[in-house]
Amino acid sequence: MAVPLPEQDSFYAEPVGLADLPNGTVLASRAIEPESFLQPLPADAWQVQYKTIDNHGTPRAYIATVLVPQGEWTRDGPRPLLSYQVAEDGVGAKCAPSYALRGGIDGVPSNAYSETGMIRIALQQGWALVVPDYQGPDSDLFGADGYVHGVLDGIRAARAFAPAAVDPAAPIGMWGYSGGAQATAIAAQAHSTYAPDLPLTGVALVTGVALGGVVADLEATMSGFSGGVAGGGAVVGLVGLNRSYPEADVAQYLNESGRRMLAASQADCLLDAALAYPFSMRRRWKPGLDRSRTTPNRARWCGWPVLCSARAHPACPCWSTTRSLTNSRP
């Protein structure tokens, strides 16, 4: 049976009256049968709806998937909790990991779908996982503040969700690659100020953060996409920036052809746009513009967080891998 799209699934409907609830409050839950590439994952799993704050400062209901391995934890100490951020990299609800972990696929596979294999590997370590839809119900790609809240409040919700039985003393880790590393890194930077109840020492220990393929240079990455075989993927990035920071008015920098692509890609995942517009975007800017000077509010776009001076340094250990294809920096 096909998995309904999130916008057709009543579980994703947001309740009213969220403003006075603490961030991380569990609002609703349901048991699911998680899978990866049509094979079941060895875990008890639930989708958990929780209260947080989106990129625009509005109280919202996000979704996270909580998974607990079915085998008993036999190592020293309590079972760790890992917050795993997929490279959601899309502007439609079908790109979210909660959809992918139920076997959801609409057209081409999403990045989230492809990362369910990594989630299997994490479960095989015996770790409990929380996998948040950190872009929120509006798929605010590159929305830095929304990323922070979605990730850290997802951890709060997982620890509070009684059926998962996360030990209050369980070590906490965060892990993400590429787009997921962006969300993970900025959550690590904001952890000590936004979520001091997840302390670095004492009862609950945020033990470390693992980052891979961190996109540390937005301009270089967009230039790398532009004109290449996956050039259409840049369209999704522009939709995300325009949605997360509407005051930037990204469309003003595009010519008519570029604006048509922007309008047509409002619910795309990365691969959708890459396949629709190969070798695209190099000629979609208005003629005569120096993009390095006209791209608005670049310093504010801290969804590309690692080099963003407006954020604090992470207070927990961070391990980062790099690769030239994603223009990473050590």
Side-chain angles (χ1 to χ4, degrees):
M1 181 182 297
V3 178
L5 289 163
E7 54 264 36
Q8 299 167 353
D9 187 336
S10 61
F11 181 76
Y12 287 77
E14 296 183 79
V16 298
L18 298 176
D20 294 331
L21 295 176
N23 294 328
T25 297
V26 174
L27 306 172
S29 66
R30 65 180 177 185
I32 63 167
E33 296 181 359
E35 63 177 69
S36 170
F37 298 101
L38 305 180
Q39 298 299 311
L41 287 169
D44 296 322
W46 304 263
Q47 286 181 340
V48 174
Q49 187 184 58
Y50 61 99
K51 185 256 180 169
T52 187
I53 306 293
D54 71 9
N55 195 59
H56 309 286
T58 303
R60 301 295 298 271
Y62 282 27
I63 304 294
T65 305
V66 178
L67 306 100
V68 179
Q70 292 166 340
E72 188 174 342
W73 176 256
T74 59
R75 302 180 198 175
D76 293 341
R79 186 192 301 272
L81 174 65
L82 174 68
S83 182
Y84 185 99
Q85 284 64 246
V86 305
E88 194 166 337
D89 291 357
V91 289
K94 66 180 182 179
C95 315
S98 62
Y99 179 60
L101 281 164
R102 295 183 68 207
I105 186 169
D106 184 61
V108 298
S110 65
N111 282 5
Y113 190 92
S114 69
E115 287 196 54
T116 58
M118 293 301 297
I119 290 169
R120 179 185 296 277
I121 292 172
L123 289 169
Q124 289 171 343
Q125 311 311 305
W127 305 329
L129 269 70
V130 54
V131 185
D133 294 0
Y134 58 82
Q135 291 184 189
D138 294 337
S139 300
D140 286 331
L141 179 61
F142 303 146
D145 291 335
Y147 281 11
V148 167
H149 307 153
V151 171
L152 296 176
D153 288 333
I155 296 173
R156 284 170 165 158
R159 295 178 75 228
F161 182 59
V166 175
D167 192 301
I172 300 169
M174 295 189 287
W175 179 3
Y177 182 81
S178 191
Q182 296 165 27
T184 303
I186 197 165
Q189 289 175 315
H191 158 260
S192 60
T193 54
Y194 181 74
D197 53 304
L198 303 176
L200 290 171
T201 58
V203 175
L205 177 64
V206 177
T207 55
V209 174
L211 310 171
V214 183
V215 185
D217 187 330
L218 170 57
E219 187 175 346
T221 301
M222 295 292 273
S223 295
F225 269 101
S226 184
V229 65
V235 179
V236 165
L238 293 174
V239 172
L241 288 171
N242 206 43
R243 185 176 299 171
S244 296
Y245 304 101
E247 70 277 11
D249 189 15
V250 169
Q252 70 178 302
Y253 301 99
L254 302 177
N255 61 25
E256 185 177 349
S257 175
R259 289 195 296 272
R260 284 199 301 268
M261 290 180 179
L262 202 71
S265 299
Q266 293 294 310
D268 280 354
C269 302
L270 185 69
L271 189 54
D272 292 313
L275 292 176
Y277 312 116
F279 305 103
S280 244
M281 290 314 293
R282 192 172 295 279
R283 297 184 179 88
R284 309 304 173 186
W285 303 95
K286 285 184 177 178
L289 283 180
D290 177 352
R291 280 169 287 166
S292 67
R293 295 180 180 276
T294 57
T295 305
N297 297 324
R298 289 194 302 154
R300 183 170 174 341
W301 291 346
C302 299
W304 304 81
V306 178
L307 303 182
C308 177
S309 61
R311 301 283 173 180
H313 292 294
C316 52
C318 291
W319 180 71
S320 178
T321 61
T322 63
R323 66 184 230 190
S324 60
L325 182 60
T326 47
N327 300 296
S328 299
R329 298 290 186 268

